[in-house]
Amino acid sequence: MEEISKKGAGQPRDQTDQENLLVYDSSVDHKGKVPLRASTGVWKASRFIIAIEFSERLSYFGIAPSLILYLSKVMLQDLETATKYVNYWSGVTNLMPLLGGFIADACLGRFSTALVSTIIYLMGLILLTLSWFIPGLKACETDMCIKPRKVHEVVFFLAIYMISVGTGGLKPSLESFGADQFDDDHTEERRQKMTYFNWWNFGHCAGLLLGVTVIVYVQDHVNWGASYIILTAVMAVSLVIFITGRPFYRYRHSSGSPLMQLLQVLVAAIRKRNLPYPSSVAQLFEIPKAEKTKGRFLCHTNKLKFLDKAAVLGDKHNPDEKQNPWKLATVTKVEELKLVLNMIPIWLATLPFGICTAQRTTFFIKQGVVLNRKIGNGFELPPVSISAVASIGMIISVTIYEKILVPTLRKATGNERGITILQRIGIGMLFSILVMVVAALVEKKRLGVVENDPRKSSLSMSVFWLAPQFLILGIGDGFALVGLQEYFYEEVPESMRSLGIALYPSVIGAANFVSGWLITIVGRLTKTDGHGWFGKDLNTSRLDKFYWLLAGISAVNMLFFVFLARRYSHKTVQRVAVADCNIEDDGDAMVLGSISFKEDIELQLA
């Protein structure tokens, strides 16, 4: 992020000192007052928030990767049915943040949404624990049964979908609430916020790593119920920690439905579609600086110009028009709608990356089941635990990026981030193509081993053959997933930041559904001789061909993503209203038009 600033000459020293003591970014402290910079926010607050993220990820990855095994072993479902249910649950879980983000932005606020969601999440874990231990709710009365009891299915799915609801509220509100602890108008805090997203993902990976190792080991060597007790206890403790940090947080109140405000701009633009464009963008309507109480002004851009009609004054002498948001919108509101529309193609272009990522909790895990998992003197690695390599890869990736690449690239490019957010996402997408290529080659080798020795099947092949694809997947996540989090948080309007954070997991959620549909379509198209790419088990399937298909789709999509990225207009912020802040976008180059500086202006370009 590059920054162009021009400090107003003669700014009173007392005003500057006061801004260093207090935080003027529309946030308040727990008493509803302007927050003190020294005693609220930044790392003293975000550490509590990262702690609960660690707990939530521990619980999620203690359940999600092994869900296909639970459905196969405990609920006795076949491969295709279990995979379908896992994809549906993963899809719902990753799409629920869209609803949670809307509630956080429009109704409850981020802190309250995170608190309520944590309680719902905890209730789901408690119900999951009860479904294992209470005799009347168990899957089977004895160790041997043909079909699980209906009551267990109902309670089990109710519990995991309660966890989906909890995740749906926590994912957008918690991460954006953590980012709210850093003041964008303060240079040092703005840089710390870039680091925050990396440490957020470090906590994410730590929870994931323990979830797929310690928790899964307990499931494999003790029982599922014992693991649920651990997860419930950790979540309960994290809830207490989260509440303890309340005096240190900076809060932002919800400002009504952001989607309604975007709709108002669209309606106003349609109403005024026949009005001529003004000769200068300075003639477009914007509220005076003195009347702006929340958020920041956005500069006018030349893309999607038909929406500018919403900011054209039809009758300058009609005061009623200025009071009706369905008839007249400010330049900032128009630009907010442009931001949202600009993100839709990027969202679509990242879906193939999400489809590749979705394989880690289904086919990658089932591959681990049929490989040799013995280590040392009889110790058998749980099949899910091999996915811990992805967490290690992501931790390594984020650490190298933060400590080595960013400082080096910052000097080379002059960009505050080192490279742009979209470049970071693109690098991660390249790694997803490599993941599918490696996965296809490994699966082809496994099928060759099975063909050569059907009696031993693939048990003569070590599970660590899967390590390279998980490692590359983790490295790619360190670029793409973190980049997507930053992208959606930074580019959405400030009133929609919880919803913006929700757009990142929605990519994975939608990709899970698309992956399920793709498996169904490919399975039907390839059953020409009675044997398709997806058989009753892995040995009668051709996952290697499916992986090659995903690699091809991702490679073609990469060209589409590069095309979009080169023409993308980033969000451009000005701290106060100006007469003319016009930006002409020419590919990667952004040319600033004439800018009239008033008092203290700081223009920020992503």
Side-chain angles (χ1 to χ4, degrees), residues 543-560:
L543 289 188
D544 57 324
K545 293 184 177 181
F546 182 63
Y547 291 155
W548 280 116
L549 175 64
L550 294 184
I553 292 173
S554 298
V556 173
N557 176 74
M558 190 68 210
L559 300 176
F560 175 57

Side-chain angles (χ1 to χ4, degrees), residues 438-499:
V438 172
L441 295 174
V442 171
E443 177 62 10
K444 179 66 175 177
K445 176 176 177 57
R446 191 194 68 81
L447 290 173
V449 171
V450 172
E451 185 178 0
N452 292 332
D453 191 352
R455 186 177 61 85
K456 292 185 66 176
S457 188
S458 55
L459 290 177
S460 60
M461 187 174 173
S462 172
V463 72
F464 287 102
W465 275 91
L466 299 178
Q469 65 199 56
F470 276 109
L471 181 64
I472 298 169
L473 183 66
I475 294 173
D477 285 351
F479 284 92
L481 288 185
V482 181
L484 284 170
Q485 290 171 15
E486 285 196 73
Y487 168 73
F488 286 121
Y489 179 84
E490 293 290 346
E491 291 296 311
V492 296
E494 290 185 16
S495 60
M496 295 178 60
R497 278 185 162 169
S498 295
L499 198 58

Side-chain angles (χ1 to χ4, degrees), residues 228-245:
Y228 297 153
I229 291 176
I230 295 173
L231 297 179
T232 303
V234 172
M235 181 60 72
V237 171
S238 69
L239 176 60
V240 174
I241 292 174
F242 182 60
I243 296 173
T244 302

Side-chain angles (χ1 to χ4, degrees), residues 42-119:
V42 290
W43 293 111
K44 66 179 68 65
S46 58
R47 61 187 177 188
F48 294 100
I49 299 168
I50 292 176
I52 200 170
E53 165 66 7
F54 163 79
S55 173
E56 192 276 330
R57 291 293 87 183
L58 175 71
S59 297
Y60 179 81
F61 284 103
I63 295 170
S66 58
L67 180 58
I68 192 168
L69 302 181
Y70 188 93
L71 296 177
S72 301
K73 295 180 178 180
V74 179
M75 302 184 72
L76 308 176
Q77 295 179 354
D78 58 52
L79 175 63
E80 185 176 349
T81 303
T83 302
K84 179 180 69 175
Y85 278 121
V86 170
N87 277 324
Y88 287 166
W89 180 77
S90 297
V92 170
T93 303
N94 285 289
L95 286 174
M96 279 299 294
L98 290 174
L99 177 61
F102 176 79
I103 292 173
D105 285 334
C107 306
L108 297 181
R110 289 157 194 166
F111 173 78
S112 297
T113 303
L115 181 62
V116 172
S117 300
T118 304
I119 294 172

